[in-house]
Amino acid sequence: MHRRPALLALAAAALALAGCSSLIPPYERPAAPVSASYPPDTAPGTPSGGETAADIDWQRFFVEPRLTQLIGLAIANNRDLRVAVLNIEQTRALYQVRRADELPSVGVGATVARQPFGASIATVYGVGFVVNNYELDLFGRVHDLSQAALAQYFATAEARKAAQISLVSAVANAYLNVLADDELLRVTQQTLQTREDSNRLTKLRFDNGVSSELDYRQAESLLEGARAALAQAQRQRMLDENALVLLVGQPLPPDLAPPMPLEQQKIADLPAGLPSDLLVRRPDIRASEQQLLSANANIGAARAAFFPRITLTGSFGTASSELSGLFKGGSWAFTGTAELLQPIFDAGRNQANLDFARASRDVAVAQYERSIQSAFREVSDVLAGRATLGEQLRAQAAQTNALAIAYRLSDLRYRSGAASFLDTLDSARALFAAQTLLVQTQALQLQNQVALYRALGGGWNESAELAAGTTPAIPPPQ
């Protein structure tokens, strides 16, 4: 008696019925809860047209060789980014588990059974293929769970892109901080040298009775203040370099290209585009939408739990009352069992699961909308900085130049005896403060341009990353 055609027919019917329906609610992307354009007074003269930030890979956006080397090392070695890549592997494996539930699981089994045979007890041996507890997915429950896992996988892949964007921006900002520290050290060392000269002159004048002890002590105070500022600048330089090393993920190699001074750093300006561009350009927003799609799919799985669940168990192989007869002619056997379970009383478990899935979907909607609002604010803040930092830097440079002239004049008047040292003291303090603020403003303007690049989704370009071999390819789930 050959039952193999019957087994194949049953399997084909099961696969045809499985997944023929889905109870996932129709998905509609929530409207973006932001204005259709950025505030017009935040970015006068905003450039339009040209490449968007997301189309410019970081190798082209950052032109200094030392900085591009550091970013490349960070992408290869940063542990946070490495965790983000491994998270993709985790979610991909979970998706494969869910997807495998949609297909029958076939194994090879061997059995020994004692069963009644007439007036005696017979031993039956069996060997064959076994399908155990395969669920016919008539209402799409298993498929919906698979879709939820797939959306989670896509969300994690987008989160990895967002992590690289943040890393690129963080490395650039940390590097600019180090360059600003170097410039502040140079300014502080020059100030210290000037104040040492002034202190020697004032001491000489005091020793010869030309000036008072008050002038000498004020000059000494200026000198010690410069020494304290130098120590503080040296400490900050070490702290900022430590932060850069952490981002890079390894000690800075000695063969890096020489650094360019802060004032010679050039970073391209970018068109801001429209807020709607962020929906398709920013990986963090796309990741949030994938989370929403996953929550929406879970609603379908929760709905399907209210309907009957059919599971199949079967085997096809050979059976005999003797081991030696297992593979003889006529020993082939087929068994099959179908089990239907219709929920009647579950103490409200299925309804609670559905309520939880709907609430989770509502949370995901709010989080998606929040991610859009946060992105809109980030871009608007950076544009506000771009609209004002240029004028601030110009005014700061003019003020520093004026204070430098004022300091030279007050120092000449003091040396000629036409003024007290108090004028020189005030001018020296004001000049050093202005020089410090000028360096900080220069760094802030450059970091503002880096922030705009990040806020607009720049820092990740998949084709460029794969071509450069700096990141592994992420194949789609099979």
Side-chain angles (χ1 to χ4, degrees):
M1 181 176 59
H2 296 281
R3 301 291 183 86
R4 187 172 183 178
L7 177 63
L8 295 177
L10 179 60
L15 292 175
L17 289 172
C20 64
S21 177
S22 175
L23 299 178
I24 299 177
Y27 174 74
E28 294 183 5
R29 175 182 287 175
V34 295
S35 173
S37 61
Y38 298 110
D41 55 342
T42 61
T46 297
S48 59
E51 286 185 296
T52 62
D55 294 326
I56 304 174
D57 54 87
W58 58 266
Q59 293 95 333
R60 290 194 294 130
F61 184 73
F62 300 104
V63 296
E64 190 199 357
R66 186 181 181 90
L67 177 55
T68 56
Q69 285 178 298
L70 290 172
I71 293 175
L73 289 172
I75 291 175
N77 298 298
N78 182 268
R79 298 311 189 270
D80 290 335
L81 187 60
R82 189 171 298 176
V83 169
V85 173
L86 294 175
N87 284 339
I88 295 177
E89 299 302 322
Q90 283 186 324
T91 54
R92 177 165 53 183
L94 289 176
Y95 165 64
Q96 295 288 4
V97 171
R98 287 297 188 186
R99 189 172 182 272
D101 290 340
E102 297 185 55
L103 301 173
S105 179
V106 181
V108 177
T111 61
V112 178
R114 299 277 290 174
Q115 59 187 37
F117 187 77
S120 61
I121 302 296
T123 300
V124 177
Y125 302 91
V127 176
F129 298 99
V130 179
V131 176
N132 191 33
N133 291 328
Y134 169 62
E135 179 177 344
L136 286 181
D137 199 19
L138 299 179
F139 301 98
R141 187 188 73 87
V142 178
H143 175 73
D144 294 348
L145 290 175
S146 175
Q147 290 300 107
L150 179 61
Q152 288 287 347
Y153 165 76
F154 288 143
T156 309
E158 295 295 342
R160 179 260 184 271
K161 299 176 185 178
Q164 175 168 321
I165 288 174
S166 296
L167 177 62
V168 169
S169 173
V171 171
N173 285 329
Y175 178 67
L176 291 173
N177 283 336
V178 172
L179 293 182
D181 293 336
D182 290 337
E183 183 64 19
L184 286 175
L185 278 171
R186 184 189 65 81
V187 169
T188 306
Q189 288 167 347
Q190 289 180 348
T191 300
L192 178 60
Q193 181 64 45
T194 300
R195 291 182 182 181
E196 285 177 343
D197 295 340
S198 177
N199 184 69
R200 281 194 296 268
L201 175 62
T202 307
K203 179 66 165 60
L204 181 62
R205 290 168 61 89
F206 170 64
D207 291 339
N208 289 277
V210 178
S211 63
S212 66
E213 184 178 0
L214 177 60
D215 291 345
Y216 169 61
R217 295 306 178 187
Q218 287 174 334
E220 185 180 32
S221 173
L222 272 181
L223 174 61
E224 297 304 328
R227 287 172 176 166
L230 180 61
Q232 181 181 1
Q234 290 171 335
R235 179 175 67 254
Q236 189 61 48
R237 172 63 169 76
M238 290 186 285
L239 294 178
D240 287 339
E241 182 168 330
N242 291 340
L244 179 60
V245 169
L246 178 62
L247 290 171
V248 171
Q250 67 170 59
L252 302 185
D255 58 346
L256 289 174
M260 293 173 57
L262 184 68
E263 60 184 10
Q264 296 181 14
Q265 294 290 325
K266 302 296 181 183
I267 297 180
D269 211 351
L270 293 168
L274 297 174
S276 58
D277 297 337
L278 299 178
L279 300 181
V280 295
R281 291 298 189 179
R282 288 209 16 164
D284 59 333
I285 295 179
R286 297 204 301 266
S288 184
E289 185 173 19
Q290 290 296 333
Q291 296 285 1
L292 173 56
L293 287 168
S294 177
N296 199 55
N298 281 327
I299 293 179
R303 285 175 171 177
F306 286 89
F307 294 91
R309 187 178 302 178
I310 300 176
T311 58
L312 300 179
T313 299
S315 65
F316 172 77
T318 176
S320 173
S321 59
E322 298 179 356
L323 283 174
S324 59
L326 279 177
F327 299 100
K328 292 182 178 180
S331 64
W332 298 105
F334 166 76
T335 61
T337 303
E339 179 181 341
L340 183 146
L341 176 62
Q342 170 63 55
I344 298 177
F345 175 75
D346 61 359
R349 178 181 291 104
N350 285 338
Q351 184 61 48
N353 283 332
L354 179 58
D355 293 342
F356 177 79
R358 286 171 173 166
S360 298
R361 191 265 314 274
D362 294 340
V363 170
V365 170
Q367 290 174 336
Y368 173 69
E369 294 173 340
R370 173 63 176 171
S371 67
I372 295 175
Q373 291 175 333
S374 297
F376 180 84
R377 186 213 166 159
E378 287 179 9
V379 177
S380 298
D381 287 349
V382 176
L383 292 178
R386 183 168 70 177
T388 56
L389 278 169
E391 175 59 22
Q392 179 182 346
L393 183 60
R394 186 206 62 76
Q396 193 66 47
Q399 181 190 29
T400 303
N401 182 64
L403 286 172
I405 296 173
Y407 171 72
R408 287 196 300 269
L409 293 175
S410 63
D411 186 58
L412 287 174
R413 284 169 57 84
Y414 169 70
R415 290 172 185 263
S416 64
S420 69
F421 190 74
L422 183 60
D423 294 337
T424 304
L425 176 68
D426 290 340
S427 297
R429 288 174 175 170
L431 175 59
F432 181 64
Q435 289 173 326
T436 300
L437 188 56
L438 176 60
V439 173
Q440 293 172 344
T441 306
Q442 289 174 334
L444 186 60
Q445 185 185 43
L446 292 169
Q447 290 173 335
N448 182 262
Q449 292 172 278
V450 174
L452 180 61
Y453 182 60
R454 182 193 62 80
L456 295 176
W460 166 270
N461 187 300
E462 187 168 8
S463 58
E465 295 292 331
L466 295 177
T470 55
T471 186
I474 303 173
Q478 299 298 319

